[in-house]
Amino acid sequence: MKFKTSRENLLMPLQQVVGVIEKRQTLPILSNVLIQLADNRLEFTGTDLEVQLVTHSVADSGEDGEITVPARKLLDICRLLPDGSLVNVECRPDKVTVHSGRSRFSLSTLPADNYPAFDISAPEAELTLSSKLLKKAMEKTLFAMALQDVRYYLNGLLLDLDGRLLRAVASDGHRLALFEEMLEDVEFEPRQVIVPRKGIMELYRLLSDQDEPVTLLFGANNISVLMGELSFSAKLIEGRFPDFRRVMPRDITKIVTLDRETFKAALTRVSVLTAEKIKGVSLEVKEGLMILQSQNPEHEEAEEEFEVHLEGEGLAVGFNTTYLLDALNNVDSEVVTLSFTDAGNSCLIEDPQNQKYKFIVMPMKL
């Protein structure tokens, strides 16, 4: 196999594919990118056997064939070449040579026949929606995903489809983030899938902020997302996601309305003197004031108060400042509401102007 193409035609697909390729692999070939050429059309494939990305580009001329090349080394070479450079790639036994101007590189290769096939089952359902909407749903929830939790079903993001309603839900057991959106001209049979953390982070990186159509293909044990020249696939997490509806506070008796930026700034200052591991802050609301207090093991203290609007009786509760700040950073309006029940077993954080996003933070004992 050999081909000639511009630096840019190699750089973009390599940048996209390299994200799914782990730096340290048990199988050496998984550190490589599979490059296939047919009729001057280049196809690049990268996988870690849990996530796969396939993208395409064009060659000016060449001879058909396929080979696997170290992905990051080839990417670094293309990145460092001058803009607009013409690149010649030629495969020889166990080696591939890359020529551009007066530069010449020789990279080791592995046979394409040894590249592991990604198991993609036949699609059972299909959904087309806006890339901007899907990215927004992920942006508002992915921060709440668990990281290497023994409850494996929390190490990902739930996509819940029910009729015309799309939900994205993530939780690590201490907090929950929920996004809801009614889809137009779509009627979908109820289906829930849990996409693993790495798949979500890579998909979020690849999705466009524009209203471009993307197609979701749901298989028995995987999901594929088609985005123009890109095809992204990920294995699904088996298991059942907890019923997030049961976590939603009912019989709300106390509602605190406050300025989001004022609350964020106060939390950030008070958190300076929290314990490093716990990051706990006590929150007290009474007579139109919110009082934030923190203390660390060295008995250093911080306190700040500011005006709020309170409906119902006063309250005192403790929270992890990181969880509160993550939720506040994903509220778009200038005002935010904190809702509590008499039991005080959770806090519902909402944007009063947009009910699509809901964030629940569990309190902590201080």
Side-chain angles (χ1 to χ4, degrees):
M1 182 184 82
K2 65 179 181 180
F3 61 88
K4 183 186 298 184
T5 190
S6 68
R7 165 187 177 268
E8 285 66 30
N9 285 342
L10 282 177
L11 185 60
M12 179 60 74
L14 286 172
Q15 286 174 329
Q16 293 169 333
V17 167
V18 79
V20 304
I21 297 175
E22 295 285 355
K23 292 183 179 180
R24 296 180 181 178
Q25 292 283 2
T26 52
L27 294 175
I29 198 167
L30 291 179
S31 297
N32 286 12
V33 56
L34 172 63
I35 303 177
Q36 298 168 294
L37 176 65
D39 298 326
N40 289 341
R41 181 174 171 82
L42 287 165
E43 182 173 285
F44 301 81
T45 303
T47 184
D48 65 355
L49 299 182
E50 297 295 325
V51 177
Q52 175 177 274
L53 182 65
V54 180
T55 186
H56 299 87
S57 187
V58 294
D60 298 336
S61 61
E63 296 177 3
D64 294 355
E66 57 183 7
I67 195 67
T68 77
V69 185
R72 284 186 167 78
K73 291 177 182 176
L74 183 58
L75 173 61
D76 288 342
I77 289 169
C78 292
R79 185 188 289 126
L80 295 171
L81 289 174
D83 293 347
S85 299
L86 188 63
V87 181
N88 290 278
V89 178
E90 184 173 352
C91 295
R92 296 175 180 174
D94 301 327
K95 294 286 182 181
V96 62
T97 57
V98 180
H99 289 268
S100 181
R102 296 186 177 183
S103 301
R104 178 184 175 277
F105 307 89
S106 179
L107 297 172
S108 59
T109 64
L110 290 170
D113 293 341
N114 295 343
Y115 201 77
F118 190 81
D119 182 22
I120 300 180
S121 55
E124 300 174 352
E126 178 179 324
L127 173 66
T128 300
L129 70 166
S130 159
S131 173
K132 183 178 181 179
L133 170 61
L134 183 57
K135 186 164 188 175
K136 188 77 168 179
M138 294 166 62
E139 176 187 331
K140 295 295 182 184
T141 52
L142 60 81
F143 68 89
M145 290 188 294
L147 178 62
Q148 296 180 339
D149 198 295
V150 292
R151 297 163 292 181
Y152 58 91
Y153 45 80
L154 295 181
N155 297 320
L157 187 142
L158 173 71
L159 290 179
D160 179 34
L161 296 158
D162 188 0
R164 293 177 54 205
L165 184 61
L166 166 68
R167 293 190 186 96
V169 189
S171 175
D172 61 5
H174 303 288
R175 54 181 171 173
L176 181 143
L178 168 67
F179 171 91
E180 294 181 320
E181 180 71 70
M182 292 298 294
L183 303 176
E184 298 180 2
D185 305 322
V186 173
E187 194 70 28
F188 211 83
E189 293 184 5
R191 176 180 291 266
Q192 288 190 344
V193 298
I194 308 174
V195 186
R197 182 185 183 89
K198 179 175 179 179
I200 288 296
M201 302 307 290
E202 282 303 316
L203 183 56
Y204 178 75
R205 180 178 67 89
L206 295 167
L207 284 169
S208 166
D209 290 320
Q210 307 302 315
D211 281 322
E212 300 170 354
V214 297
T215 301
L216 278 62
L217 303 175
F218 298 93
N221 57 7
N222 59 69
I223 183 173
S224 296
V225 183
L226 309 181
M227 304 165 276
E229 293 287 344
L230 279 171
S231 174
F232 172 88
S233 302
K235 289 185 178 180
L236 299 176
I237 295 177
E238 296 181 1
R240 187 166 184 83
F241 201 85
D243 186 0
F244 54 88
R245 299 172 188 85
R246 296 177 60 185
V247 183
M248 292 295 166
R250 299 176 183 177
D251 303 322
I252 290 172
T253 57
K254 306 164 188 174
I255 301 177
V256 182
T257 305
L258 65 168
D259 181 79
R260 184 177 70 96
E261 286 299 328
T262 300
F263 190 25
K264 270 182 59 179
L267 274 174
T268 303
R269 287 189 288 267
V270 171
S271 68
V272 171
L273 295 184
T274 57
E276 288 188 17
K277 292 184 178 180
I278 301 175
K279 290 289 183 184
V281 61
S282 67
L283 182 156
E284 184 180 3
V285 183
K286 59 182 180 180
E287 300 174 357
L289 283 179
M290 176 176 284
I291 304 169
L292 300 177
Q293 294 178 317
S294 67
Q295 185 178 14
N296 62 22
E298 289 77 35
H299 302 292
E300 298 168 330
E301 299 178 352
E303 179 177 315
E304 183 155 345
E305 62 180 50
F306 53 94
E307 295 180 356
V308 298
H309 176 70
L310 171 65
E311 297 177 37
E313 298 179 357
L315 61 106
V317 66
F319 288 107
N320 183 308
T321 55
T322 301
Y323 297 161
L324 288 176
L325 287 169
D326 283 344
L328 293 172
N329 285 332
N330 283 279
V331 175
D332 296 326
S333 70
E334 296 179 357
V335 176
V336 65
T337 61
L338 312 181
S339 302
F340 301 86
T341 62
D342 281 334
N345 52 5
S346 64
C347 170
L348 174 62
I349 301 176
E350 291 180 290
D351 179 344
Q353 300 174 3
N354 193 335
Q355 298 297 315
K356 294 178 182 178
Y357 325 129
K358 292 180 174 66
F359 310 101
I360 295 174
V361 180
M362 308 304 290
M364 62 186 295
K365 292 182 180 180
L366 297 175

